[in-house]
Structure formats: C-alpha cells, structure tokens
Amino acid sequence: MKIAIASDHGGFRLKEEVAGLLSEFGIEYKDFGTFSEAAVDYPDLALIVAEAVCAGDFDRGILCCGTGIGVSIAANKVPGIRAALCHDTFSARAAREHNCANILTLGQRVIGAGLARDIVTTWLEAEFQGGRHASRIEKIKAIEQKYNRCSR
Ligand code: RB5
C-alpha cells in the first residue's frame, strides 16, 4: 500500500506523528508537506494529495489540519475522492468498511497523538465490505457524473 500524506501548519505536528507511524509499520508513503509551522493554505495541500490519489499514484491519503474539516472539504471536491474526517476508531473503521474512504482527515487541535495513531491504524487495517455498500458508492459516483465530473 502506498500512502500520500500532507498537512497545513495547523496539522503539521500531527502529520509528523502519522509519518512516524507509517515508518514504524513499514508502509510506503510520500510526504507532500508542509514541512514547518509557517502558515500555508490547507486547500493547496489537500489538492495535492487528492489529485495524487485520484490519479492512482497512491492507494490512499491522510490529511491533517487544525480541525480536519478544511482539508476534508477541499479534498472532497476532487472527483473520485471520498475523504472522511474521523476522530474516533468506530468512525475510522466504518469509513473504510461502509464508505470506502480513500482519504482520512484528522485535526491536530481536536485529538491527541495517541488517539490519532489508533485511528490511523484502524483505518489502515479496515477494508471496504462491498455488498450493499457498493451500490451506495455507485450512487455517489452518479452524483459526480450528474455535475459533469469524471469519476474513478
Ligand atoms: C488554520 O488556522 C486552520 O484554519 C486550518 O488548519 C484548519 O483547521 C481548517 O479547517
């Protein structure tokens, strides 16, 4: 599995924590920045990761900002992206099993590093269950197509 990660300044330290966790797990990843706590705009970083996942260069992405909300909203504008903001492990599991979320978003100002590590671990290990959930994903794709957006 190849993972793309990025954050704005508000999620920088949490993104570093996520990078460390992926290294511990031996999971291949690319860090698209930001690389300091100097202010940057979260849509710019979210777009890079969302396009990389949409293009198929990476299997999944993880985005961090202060709340996880901004990067989630921005990433979900990219066709084929299903970004899920998860601040508990139940949601992280469901985001994969039910929603086939291909990007996980996290808020550094909302949760601590320990919980974030559990959420990332849960999300990485869970798999899409298909079945009745697959037709719902197809309906999401149909919404994209309705608005003339290509869909993966
Ligand atoms: C940056 O101050 C902050 O607005 C950003 O990290 C994020 O929380 C936006 O949703």
Side-chain angles (χ1 to χ4, degrees):
M1 182 164 20
K2 272 176 77 178
I3 310 275
I5 66 171
S7 74
D8 73 351
H9 55 290
F12 168 70
R13 281 180 282 111
L14 188 53
K15 186 258 293 171
E16 296 297 295
E17 193 74 35
V18 169
L21 184 65
L22 296 176
S23 294
E24 284 171 33
F25 287 161
I27 294 174
E28 189 181 351
Y29 71 93
K30 180 168 179 178
D31 184 350
F32 286 95
T34 187
F35 299 108
S36 78
E37 292 189 273
V40 291
D41 297 330
Y42 63 82
D44 297 335
L45 285 305
L47 180 62
I48 292 169
V49 165
E51 287 187 331
V53 172
C54 183
D57 298 335
F58 294 85
D59 301 298
R60 299 197 215 163
I62 300 174
L63 287 164
C64 303
C65 66
T67 59
I69 297 170
V71 285
S72 173
I73 292 171
N76 276 314
K77 299 296 180 190
V78 174
I81 292 304
R82 293 176 297 278
L85 169 58
C86 299
H87 284 151
D88 64 272
T89 55
F90 179 86
S91 300
R93 186 175 301 106
R96 281 298 303 158
E97 292 183 348
H98 293 202
N99 312 115
C100 198
N102 49 15
I103 291 183
L104 171 69
T105 77
L106 299 164
Q108 176 183 299
R109 295 171 187 162
V110 184
I111 55 168
L115 177 55
R117 289 170 68 97
D118 282 355
I119 289 167
V120 171
T121 303
T122 300
W123 184 75
L124 288 172
E125 290 175 352
E127 279 306 332
F128 181 51
Q129 287 182 342
R132 69 185 189 280
H133 304 295
S135 60
R136 294 164 185 161
I137 300 301
E138 290 308 311
K139 290 194 174 191
I140 293 173
K141 291 179 181 174
I143 295 171
E144 288 182 337
Q145 280 156 6
K146 180 177 177 186
Y147 290 94
N148 284 327
R149 302 165 72 188
C150 64
S151 191
R152 291 191 78 240

